[in-house]
Amino acid sequence: MRKKVTTQEGEFPRLSLRDKVTLLRGSINTAHFKAHARPMLYGRCGDDPEAVNDLLLETLHTNAGKTKLISPLFKPPKQLIIKINGEHVLPLGTAAGMDKNGKALEAFGNLFGFQEPGTVVIEPRLGNPRVRVTTLKDSIDLFNAPGFPSKGLDYFLKNISEYRRKGGRAIIYVSICGLPSEGRATANAMKEMEVLITTLRTYVDGFVWNPFSPNTKALEKLRTAATFYETGRLMDELAPGKLKMVKIGPYDETPAELKKTLILINAFFEGGGQGVVTTNTYPFSKEMLPESIREKWGYPTAGRSGTFLTDYMLRSINDIRNAFRDSVLIFGTGGISDGITAYKAFKAGANALEGYTPYVSYGPGLVRNIMDGLQTEMDRDGIKNLAHLQKLARR
Ligand SMILES: Cc1cc2nc3c(=O)[nH]c(=O)nc-3n(C[C@H](O)[C@H](O)[C@H](O)COP(=O)(O)O)c2cc1C
């Protein structure tokens, strides 16, 4: 039986020196990550993708200094730097869920253009019993039903305040959500949002409100125009100058679904919100799951992430850009695993892109591949820089 390491965060499989070298090489080279680091990590973690992510976060946390050493390899060319809310940024970041509790802020700050830790909620929540994230053999997509686990606001506050105290300057847009309660659903959620925003506002560059987690039924109560308006207003009032975004879920390609989504987004903007992150995972009922997963899946639903979402993401970027023209910021997320897909998303109107699932399969070196691929696509089309591409998309 392989030895475990016990830390304040829990128990993790002990990695040998050889494993660590494999991981370091894989962090720079996506082919090496997929061929060697990923199978090694899955082997050590009993094929549980969530345990793999936890082990990666733990390793990144304890080796943050090493990520600093490799960070020059991740330095973006200036053609890919754009302005978001007054800050110059490489618009390739982490998506929510990947670092729910802000454990790898320093390491991710060395590798990504920005990060979206969370979703942070006030009280610690265990979420559903494991196994609650699984994958298919021949695909990078993940199926998940975590049930909104979080170590809570105090824990996240400790991590982010410590990171800033040590001089950490990464751009951080934290994902947050106030939870509805029985009886006082919206009022309670708003009260919690107030606490989350006022507690974290000095440490972050912006907020992403996430009312669309597909496996948390109570959040459905928040998906009304009145609540979207009120949340935009609250964010604007309590966090002036900070980026204010809402995360939405994927919608099917029907006029009614589109209308419903645009009404919510419009209400958020009218309240004072600035942008949208699209898209959260696609909710599958258990009967719709691929057979190999259905047999062992213990939950009535699962959210699917990864390449399955790419078309939903591209369509919604296009829809939102067409509906609101130049007045909104749009961040895309959904299986962005190469420069060609990233290019399509920017061409459809995205301001920035985020990822989770592709990074679990290819490692952080994917940031470099996406940068290189984007550059190739832009050169081919005679586009001088990303800001120019974004301008063309907004016409
Ligand atoms: C295991 C798992 C947990 C997630 N948790 C969150 C979360 O806490 N908050 C959130 O807004 N999105 C969450 N997401 C959704 C991702 O942020 C992202 O929107 C989605 O996975 C699509 O992007 P990807 O294909 O790059 O993963 C989660 C996704 C996965 C796979």
Side-chain angles (χ1 to χ4, degrees):
M1 184 79 172
R2 181 165 282 270
K3 283 215 178 97
K4 303 235 174 189
V5 185
T6 306
T7 73
Q8 280 182 334
E9 316 281 336
E11 274 201 337
F12 299 91
R14 183 186 290 279
L15 294 182
S16 65
L17 184 61
R18 196 173 161 179
D19 292 344
K20 285 182 187 162
V21 172
T22 302
L23 206 47
L24 188 65
R25 283 188 64 193
S27 301
I28 304 166
N29 180 314
T30 53
H32 190 86
F33 190 93
K34 195 145 200 292
H36 302 288
R38 186 176 190 267
M40 179 274 289
L41 289 164
Y42 272 74
R44 303 284 176 266
C45 296
D47 277 338
D48 176 356
E50 188 178 9
V52 169
N53 194 48
D54 288 348
L55 177 59
L56 272 174
L57 290 175
E58 174 66 20
T59 312
L60 284 167
H61 171 68
T62 46
N63 292 278
K66 293 200 180 75
T67 61
K68 177 108 190 124
L69 290 179
I70 60 169
S71 67
L73 296 169
F74 289 73
K75 194 169 167 9
K78 65 176 186 313
Q79 293 92 314
L80 297 183
I81 300 293
I82 56 146
K83 251 184 160 181
I84 295 178
N85 211 33
E87 305 253 28
H88 288 95
V89 46
L90 168 74
L92 299 175
T94 64
M98 192 162 160
D99 185 11
K100 282 185 184 278
N101 302 297
K103 191 165 175 191
L105 297 175
E106 186 181 344
F108 283 161
N110 291 331
L111 305 174
F112 289 87
F114 68 96
Q115 44 189 315
E116 189 185 322
T119 298
V120 179
V121 298
I122 293 189
E123 295 299 331
R125 285 165 61 94
L126 286 174
N128 292 327
R130 296 189 185 204
V131 176
R132 55 194 184 179
V133 182
T134 189
T135 188
L136 291 167
K137 275 226 153 8
D138 52 355
S139 142
I140 70 157
D141 292 10
L142 295 176
F143 294 84
N144 75 81
F148 241 37
S150 167
K151 292 196 173 178
L153 175 60
D154 287 347
Y155 184 92
F156 182 78
L157 177 64
K158 191 172 133 286
N159 284 345
I160 194 164
S161 56
E162 176 108 347
Y163 171 65
R164 292 298 194 210
R165 194 180 53 73
K166 285 194 204 143
R169 293 173 56 192
I171 294 181
I172 298 176
Y173 307 127
V174 65
S175 169
I176 54 172
C177 189
L179 296 177
S181 64
E182 287 297 325
R184 297 181 67 249
T186 315
N188 193 68
M190 286 299 156
K191 189 81 214 125
E192 292 199 358
M193 283 292 283
E194 202 177 317
V195 175
L196 287 159
I197 295 169
T198 50
T199 309
L200 296 176
R201 64 188 167 194
T202 43
Y203 302 102
V204 301
D205 300 279
F207 292 94
V208 183
W209 175 47
N210 169 30
F212 261 97
S213 175
N215 300 297
T216 312
K217 198 150 173 48
L219 299 187
E220 282 173 13
K221 294 183 185 146
L222 304 177
R223 296 180 213 144
T224 66
T227 308
F228 270 58
Y229 176 88
E230 194 45 36
T231 307
R233 197 198 59 70
L234 192 74
M235 289 167 108
D236 196 31
E237 182 190 316
L238 299 178
K242 304 284 173 181
L243 188 69
K244 297 166 273 280
M245 310 281 283
V246 63
K247 173 110 170 238
I248 62 164
Y251 51 86
D252 287 324
E253 197 172 2
T254 67
E257 285 291 303
L258 172 61
K259 190 171 168 200
K260 208 163 80 184
T261 306
L262 293 181
I263 286 173
L264 294 180
I265 295 174
N266 187 52
F268 181 70
F269 293 151
E270 287 194 336
Q274 288 167 286
V276 183
V277 180
T278 179
T279 171
N280 214 315
T281 58
Y282 188 93
F284 271 72
S285 65
K286 185 167 175 170
E287 300 74 58
M288 287 161 66
L289 293 175
E291 204 176 321
S292 59
I293 290 187
R294 199 187 322 142
E295 286 163 4
K296 53 186 184 206
W297 192 245
Y299 297 101
T301 56
R304 183 168 185 172
S305 61
T307 48
F308 171 84
L309 278 178
T310 303
D311 286 346
Y312 287 87
M313 171 194 70
L314 290 173
R315 178 162 45 79
S316 65
I317 293 173
N318 202 41
D319 287 340
I320 299 164
R321 184 56 71 208
N322 281 338
F324 299 99
R325 309 307 308 173
D326 211 3
S327 61
V328 303
L329 284 165
I330 305 172
F331 289 9
T333 180
I336 301 163
S337 346
D338 53 39
I340 295 175
T341 313
Y343 185 66
K344 282 187 194 161
F346 283 122
K347 227 173 155 180
N351 296 86
L353 305 177
E354 311 177 339
Y356 176 171
T357 309
Y359 290 102
V360 181
S361 274
Y362 299 107
L366 184 57
V367 179
R368 284 199 337 158
N369 285 20
I370 294 178
M371 288 195 286
D372 292 347
L374 257 176
Q375 194 69 65
T376 307
E377 296 301 300
M378 293 195 317
D379 289 349
R380 199 200 50 213
D381 286 354
I383 291 174
K384 59 179 190 296
N385 57 41
L386 195 52
H388 179 203
L389 175 63
Q390 296 187 332
K391 214 169 183 178
L392 293 176
R394 291 199 294 265
R395 265 203 196 131

